[in-house]
PDB file of all heavy atoms in Angstrom:
ATOM      1  N   LEU Z 494      23.017 -24.725 -37.924  1.00 96.00           N
ATOM      2  CA  LEU Z 494      23.259 -25.280 -39.242  1.00 96.00           C
ATOM      3  C   LEU Z 494      23.491 -24.149 -40.231  1.00 96.00           C
ATOM      4  O   LEU Z 494      24.446 -24.184 -41.087  1.00 96.00           O
ATOM      5  CB  LEU Z 494      22.064 -26.172 -39.663  1.00 96.00           C
ATOM      6  CG  LEU Z 494      21.928 -27.504 -38.967  1.00 96.00           C
ATOM      7  CD1 LEU Z 494      20.524 -28.089 -39.222  1.00 96.00           C
ATOM      8  CD2 LEU Z 494      23.084 -28.445 -39.402  1.00 96.00           C
ATOM      9  N   LEU Z 495      22.600 -23.164 -40.202  1.00 96.00           N
ATOM     10  CA  LEU Z 495      22.762 -22.077 -41.172  1.00 96.00           C
ATOM     11  C   LEU Z 495      24.072 -21.263 -41.016  1.00 96.00           C
ATOM     12  O   LEU Z 495      24.708 -20.947 -41.999  1.00 96.00           O
ATOM     13  CB  LEU Z 495      21.537 -21.037 -41.021  1.00 96.00           C
ATOM     14  CG  LEU Z 495      20.117 -21.642 -41.476  1.00 96.00           C
ATOM     15  CD1 LEU Z 495      19.102 -20.649 -41.203  1.00 96.00           C
ATOM     16  CD2 LEU Z 495      20.220 -21.955 -42.912  1.00 96.00           C
ATOM     17  N   VAL Z 496      24.425 -21.022 -39.818  1.00 95.00           N
ATOM     18  CA  VAL Z 496      25.717 -20.304 -39.534  1.00 95.00           C
ATOM     19  C   VAL Z 496      26.830 -21.159 -39.981  1.00 95.00           C
ATOM     20  O   VAL Z 496      27.889 -20.661 -40.602  1.00 95.00           O
ATOM     21  CB  VAL Z 496      25.835 -19.814 -38.156  1.00 95.00           C
ATOM     22  CG1 VAL Z 496      27.207 -19.294 -37.791  1.00 95.00           C
ATOM     23  CG2 VAL Z 496      24.773 -18.753 -37.792  1.00 95.00           C
ATOM     24  N   GLY Z 497      26.739 -22.478 -39.662  1.00 94.00           N
ATOM     25  CA  GLY Z 497      27.862 -23.335 -40.031  1.00 94.00           C
ATOM     26  C   GLY Z 497      28.034 -23.502 -41.506  1.00 94.00           C
ATOM     27  O   GLY Z 497      29.191 -23.706 -41.962  1.00 94.00           O
ATOM     28  N   MET Z 498      26.979 -23.492 -42.298  1.00 94.00           N
ATOM     29  CA  MET Z 498      27.036 -23.693 -43.764  1.00 94.00           C
ATOM     30  C   MET Z 498      27.058 -22.470 -44.564  1.00 94.00           C
ATOM     31  O   MET Z 498      27.630 -22.334 -45.565  1.00 94.00           O
ATOM     32  CB  MET Z 498      25.918 -24.622 -44.181  1.00 94.00           C
ATOM     33  CG  MET Z 498      25.989 -26.039 -43.679  1.00 94.00           C
ATOM     34  SD  MET Z 498      24.708 -27.141 -44.291  1.00 94.00           S
ATOM     35  CE  MET Z 498      23.309 -26.600 -43.395  1.00 94.00           C
ATOM     36  N   LEU Z 499      26.357 -21.357 -44.081  1.00 94.00           N
ATOM     37  CA  LEU Z 499      26.341 -20.133 -44.733  1.00 94.00           C
ATOM     38  C   LEU Z 499      26.664 -18.977 -43.871  1.00 94.00           C
ATOM     39  O   LEU Z 499      25.843 -18.055 -43.616  1.00 94.00           O
ATOM     40  CB  LEU Z 499      24.813 -19.919 -45.323  1.00 94.00           C
ATOM     41  CG  LEU Z 499      24.331 -21.024 -46.232  1.00 94.00           C
ATOM     42  CD1 LEU Z 499      22.822 -20.800 -46.446  1.00 94.00           C
ATOM     43  CD2 LEU Z 499      25.081 -21.006 -47.513  1.00 94.00           C
ATOM     44  N   PRO Z 500      27.888 -18.911 -43.346  1.00 94.00           N
ATOM     45  CA  PRO Z 500      28.228 -17.881 -42.465  1.00 94.00           C
ATOM     46  C   PRO Z 500      28.221 -16.480 -43.054  1.00 94.00           C
ATOM     47  O   PRO Z 500      27.872 -15.511 -42.387  1.00 94.00           O
ATOM     48  CB  PRO Z 500      29.688 -18.250 -41.957  1.00 94.00           C
ATOM     49  CG  PRO Z 500      30.257 -19.135 -43.031  1.00 94.00           C
ATOM     50  CD  PRO Z 500      28.990 -19.880 -43.643  1.00 94.00           C
ATOM     51  N   GLY Z 501      28.604 -16.413 -44.310  1.00 91.00           N
ATOM     52  CA  GLY Z 501      28.626 -15.075 -44.972  1.00 91.00           C
ATOM     53  C   GLY Z 501      27.302 -14.395 -45.058  1.00 91.00           C
ATOM     54  O   GLY Z 501      27.204 -13.212 -45.126  1.00 91.00           O
ATOM     55  N   LEU Z 502      26.270 -15.271 -45.228  1.00 92.00           N
ATOM     56  CA  LEU Z 502      24.929 -14.750 -45.426  1.00 92.00           C
ATOM     57  C   LEU Z 502      24.086 -14.554 -44.129  1.00 92.00           C
ATOM     58  O   LEU Z 502      23.062 -13.986 -44.120  1.00 92.00           O
ATOM     59  CB  LEU Z 502      24.116 -15.692 -46.335  1.00 92.00           C
ATOM     60  CG  LEU Z 502      24.664 -15.834 -47.803  1.00 92.00           C
ATOM     61  CD1 LEU Z 502      23.778 -16.853 -48.560  1.00 92.00           C
ATOM     62  CD2 LEU Z 502      24.726 -14.523 -48.541  1.00 92.00           C
ATOM     63  N   THR Z 503      24.572 -15.167 -43.044  1.00 94.00           N
ATOM     64  CA  THR Z 503      23.892 -15.104 -41.761  1.00 94.00           C
ATOM     65  C   THR Z 503      24.517 -14.264 -40.716  1.00 94.00           C
ATOM     66  O   THR Z 503      23.978 -13.248 -40.331  1.00 94.00           O
ATOM     67  CB  THR Z 503      23.702 -16.605 -41.259  1.00 94.00           C
ATOM     68  OG1 THR Z 503      25.036 -17.208 -41.214  1.00 94.00           O
ATOM     69  CG2 THR Z 503      22.816 -17.409 -42.221  1.00 94.00           C
ATOM     70  N   VAL Z 504      25.715 -14.720 -40.307  1.00 94.00           N
ATOM     71  CA  VAL Z 504      26.237 -14.036 -39.101  1.00 94.00           C
ATOM     72  C   VAL Z 504      27.370 -12.961 -39.380  1.00 94.00           C
ATOM     73  O   VAL Z 504      27.707 -12.162 -38.560  1.00 94.00           O
ATOM     74  CB  VAL Z 504      26.979 -15.111 -38.170  1.00 94.00           C
ATOM     75  CG1 VAL Z 504      28.224 -15.662 -38.804  1.00 94.00           C
ATOM     76  CG2 VAL Z 504      27.081 -14.617 -36.767  1.00 94.00           C
ATOM     77  N   ALA Z 505      27.828 -12.939 -40.656  1.00 94.00           N
ATOM     78  CA  ALA Z 505      28.970 -12.098 -41.010  1.00 94.00           C
ATOM     79  C   ALA Z 505      28.713 -10.579 -40.682  1.00 94.00           C
ATOM     80  O   ALA Z 505      29.513  -9.953 -40.113  1.00 94.00           O
ATOM     81  CB  ALA Z 505      29.371 -12.260 -42.424  1.00 94.00           C
ATOM     82  N   PRO Z 506      27.567 -10.004 -41.128  1.00 94.00           N
ATOM     83  CA  PRO Z 506      27.290  -8.587 -40.860  1.00 94.00           C
ATOM     84  C   PRO Z 506      27.313  -8.266 -39.437  1.00 94.00           C
ATOM     85  O   PRO Z 506      27.907  -7.269 -38.947  1.00 94.00           O
ATOM     86  CB  PRO Z 506      25.928  -8.212 -41.563  1.00 94.00           C
ATOM     87  CG  PRO Z 506      25.796  -9.366 -42.570  1.00 94.00           C
ATOM     88  CD  PRO Z 506      26.420 -10.581 -41.963  1.00 94.00           C
ATOM     89  N   LEU Z 507      26.613  -9.098 -38.607  1.00 95.00           N
ATOM     90  CA  LEU Z 507      26.533  -8.820 -37.144  1.00 95.00           C
ATOM     91  C   LEU Z 507      27.849  -8.992 -36.439  1.00 95.00           C
ATOM     92  O   LEU Z 507      28.268  -8.135 -35.652  1.00 95.00           O
ATOM     93  CB  LEU Z 507      25.573  -9.795 -36.541  1.00 95.00           C
ATOM     94  CG  LEU Z 507      25.378  -9.679 -35.017  1.00 95.00           C
ATOM     95  CD1 LEU Z 507      24.849  -8.283 -34.625  1.00 95.00           C
ATOM     96  CD2 LEU Z 507      24.390 -10.774 -34.454  1.00 95.00           C
TER      97      LEU Z 507
END
Side-chain angles (χ1 to χ4, degrees):
L494 290 165
L495 290 175
V496 172
M498 292 185 287
L499 302 170
L502 299 178
T503 52
V504 75
L507 179 61

